[in-house]
């Protein structure tokens, strides 16, 4: 009988967790392109297998899937770039016109705040003027010049890695499985990999369809409210993209819809209408449609989800918010397939 392995101390576990977290943050320039490429490859693999059944070689199928995704992104960006630029030019002017109305609406609140401040100063016996801090902004043109090539290099790296993962990913999996010592470990690992690919593909395709429906519904309602079609499609696309980040994305969307309403409509109640419509659509989608469509297998605890969004958003920013749910789903599948770890999988529900 083999001797029992010694348990690691709590201090060592904490140090390992901190080291892994710091590595994930410090090496994000390398980790994020790889994670995004693996994520896109998992989505594209079922389509590539369907093309292989039509006797299309895997490399050609991967190229067709990748070019199709890039073409769709380019067409969407081409349709939205003009209304987005027009809106960016219009917002400062509209906000300057809206500023007097906002000051008029908040005048009672400002008067109450000033009275409270006067009472507090009188009680403290301090009539000194508050110290004003002047902040100066240092422009760094060199940083802006070097940021664009880095961004283009990162996008190109994601595209190339996605293609190579689609083409050579299965060979990499087989070679990695050959390193495992026992048949049982190989069987469990294959089951985990197939489950991750199946569930992630199902989740992403389902969420994409739901988000597309929500975005088009918002665009249609805004168009009925006399918002120009190009701008309505812009806001619908924004809502669809933000919906990939649960809780955080819709909160940002409501703020943007409030700003859009105050700029586009003169009446205060009409100004709140776009945000109210967006909130209603998101509530209907989040509380009824998505749980029914995805079912219990993909259900995640709101608390665990919020903690994951905070963690990955702090580590990797916007990309971390978009990857938080797929990474949680992967962890849940792994814990659910490993004997003795089922309790951790239930912790996510």
């Amino acid at each position: 009988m083999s001797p029992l392995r010694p348990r690691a101390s709590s201090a060592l576990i904490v140090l390992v967790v901190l080291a892994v977290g710091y590595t994930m943050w410090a090496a994000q320039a390398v980790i994020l392109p790889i994670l995004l490429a693996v994520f896109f490859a998992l989505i594209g693999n079922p389509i590539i297998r369907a093309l292989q059944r039509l006797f299309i070689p895997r490399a050609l199928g991967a190229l067709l899937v990748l070019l199709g995704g890039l073409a769709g992104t380019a067409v969407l960006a081409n349709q939205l770039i003009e209304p987005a630029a027009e809106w960016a030019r219009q917002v400062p002017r509209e906000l300057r016109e809206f500023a007097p109305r906002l000051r008029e609406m908040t005048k009672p609140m400002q008067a109450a705040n000033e009275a409270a401040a006067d009472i507090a100063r009188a009680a403290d016996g301090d009539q000194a003027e508050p110290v004003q801090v002047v902040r100066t902004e240092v422009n760094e043109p060199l940083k802006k010049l070097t940021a664009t090539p880095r961004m283009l290099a990162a996008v190109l790296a994601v595209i190339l890695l996605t293609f190579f993962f689609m083409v050579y990913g299965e060979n990499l999996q087989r070679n990695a499985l050959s390193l495992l010592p026992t048949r049982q470990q190989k069987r469990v690992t294959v089951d985990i990999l197939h489950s991750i690919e199946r569930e992630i593909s199902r989740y992403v395709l389902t969420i994409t369809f739901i988000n597309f429906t929500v975005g088009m519904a918002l665009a249609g309602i805004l168009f009925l409210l006399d918002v120009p079609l190009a701008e309505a499609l812009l806001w619908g696309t924004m809502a669809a993209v933000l919906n990939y980040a649960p809780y955080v994305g819709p909160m940002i969307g409501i703020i943007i819809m409030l700003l859009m309403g105050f700029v586009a409509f003169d009446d205060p109640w009409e100004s709140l209408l776009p945000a109210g419509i967006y909130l209603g659509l998101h509530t209907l989608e989040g509380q009824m449609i998505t749980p029914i469509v995805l079912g219990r297998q993909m259900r995640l605890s709101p608390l665990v989800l919020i903690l994951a969004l905070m963690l990955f958003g702090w580590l990797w920013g916007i990309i971390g918010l978009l990857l938080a749910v797929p990474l949680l789903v992967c962890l849940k599948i792994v814990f659910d397939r490993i004997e003795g770890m089922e309790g951790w999988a239930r912790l996510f529900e």
Side-chain angles (χ1 to χ4, degrees):
M1 183 176 179
S2 59
L4 295 176
R5 295 175 60 186
R7 292 176 58 90
S9 65
S10 300
L12 181 60
I13 294 175
V14 171
L15 289 176
V16 170
V17 170
L18 291 177
V20 170
Y22 177 77
T23 302
M24 292 170 66
W25 173 79
Q28 58 182 295
V30 177
I31 294 175
L32 288 184
I34 296 175
L35 285 179
L36 285 173
V38 171
F39 179 64
F40 293 142
L42 287 175
I43 299 171
N45 276 338
I47 304 175
I48 295 173
R49 290 198 186 97
L51 293 176
Q52 284 183 298
R53 297 190 192 102
L54 300 176
F55 304 103
I56 296 177
R58 186 173 184 85
L60 180 58
L63 184 61
L64 291 175
V65 170
L66 188 60
L67 291 178
L70 292 175
T73 304
V75 170
L76 182 63
N78 185 58
Q79 293 293 323
L80 298 179
I81 191 170
E82 184 176 348
E86 177 62 28
W87 182 257
R89 289 192 298 267
Q90 180 184 359
V91 165
R93 183 178 67 251
E94 295 290 342
L95 287 180
R96 284 195 298 270
E97 296 177 0
F98 176 70
R101 284 193 294 154
L102 184 62
R103 283 196 296 268
E104 190 67 26
M105 294 168 59
T106 59
K107 187 177 293 184
M109 188 179 300
Q110 291 177 355
N113 288 336
E114 291 175 359
D118 292 339
I119 294 174
R121 284 196 297 268
D124 293 339
D126 184 10
Q127 299 296 330
E129 292 293 329
V131 177
Q132 295 184 353
V133 179
V134 179
R135 299 182 183 272
T136 59
E137 182 179 355
V138 179
N139 293 320
E140 298 182 11
L142 183 60
K143 182 181 294 186
K144 295 180 180 179
L145 289 176
T146 57
T148 302
R150 284 200 300 267
M151 184 181 300
L152 293 176
V155 172
L156 182 61
V158 171
I159 294 173
L160 292 176
L161 284 171
T162 301
F163 176 75
F164 287 120
F165 273 123
M166 286 179 176
V167 176
Y168 303 108
E170 288 189 346
N171 292 333
L172 182 64
Q173 287 183 18
R174 283 195 293 268
N175 294 333
L177 288 172
S178 64
L179 300 176
L180 297 177
T182 64
R183 185 181 298 272
Q184 174 68 13
Q185 289 178 339
K186 294 179 181 179
R187 187 187 64 80
V188 172
T189 305
V190 169
D191 181 48
I192 290 174
L193 292 176
H194 287 173
S195 298
I196 288 176
E197 182 178 303
R198 183 176 62 252
E199 295 298 335
I200 289 295
S201 299
R202 172 174 170 257
Y203 169 80
V204 172
L205 293 176
T206 304
I207 286 298
T208 298
F209 177 76
I210 292 174
N211 292 350
F212 174 80
T213 304
V214 171
M216 291 303 99
L218 178 63
I221 296 174
L222 292 178
F223 180 69
L224 294 177
L225 294 177
D226 295 329
V227 176
L229 179 59
E231 290 189 12
L233 290 175
L234 173 66
W235 303 125
T237 304
M238 177 215 68
V241 173
L242 288 176
N243 221 33
Y244 282 100
Y247 302 109
V248 177
M251 288 175 61
I252 297 174
I254 291 175
I255 295 173
I256 295 176
M257 285 291 99
L258 281 173
L259 177 62
M260 175 264 184
F262 282 120
V263 171
F265 301 99
D266 294 329
D267 185 80
W269 292 109
E270 289 184 358
S271 301
L272 299 176
L273 196 56
I277 294 171
Y278 178 80
L279 179 60
L281 287 173
H282 170 67
T283 303
L284 178 65
E285 174 267 326
Q287 300 300 321
M288 295 183 60
I289 298 176
T290 299
I292 292 174
V293 173
L294 290 180
R296 182 180 179 277
Q297 179 66 24
M298 303 295 289
R299 190 176 301 162
L300 295 172
S301 168
L303 177 59
V304 174
L305 191 54
I306 287 292
L307 293 176
L309 289 170
M310 292 176 61
L311 175 62
F312 290 111
W314 171 70
L315 284 174
W316 298 330
I318 296 296
I319 298 179
L321 294 176
L322 297 178
L323 290 176
V325 176
L327 289 175
L328 276 183
V329 171
C330 292
L331 285 176
K332 184 181 177 183
I333 292 172
V334 171
F335 289 150
D336 196 42
R337 296 297 192 279
I338 297 178
E339 186 178 356
M341 302 291 289
E342 297 88 350
W344 288 96
R346 289 194 297 270
L347 185 65
F348 285 11
E349 297 179 356

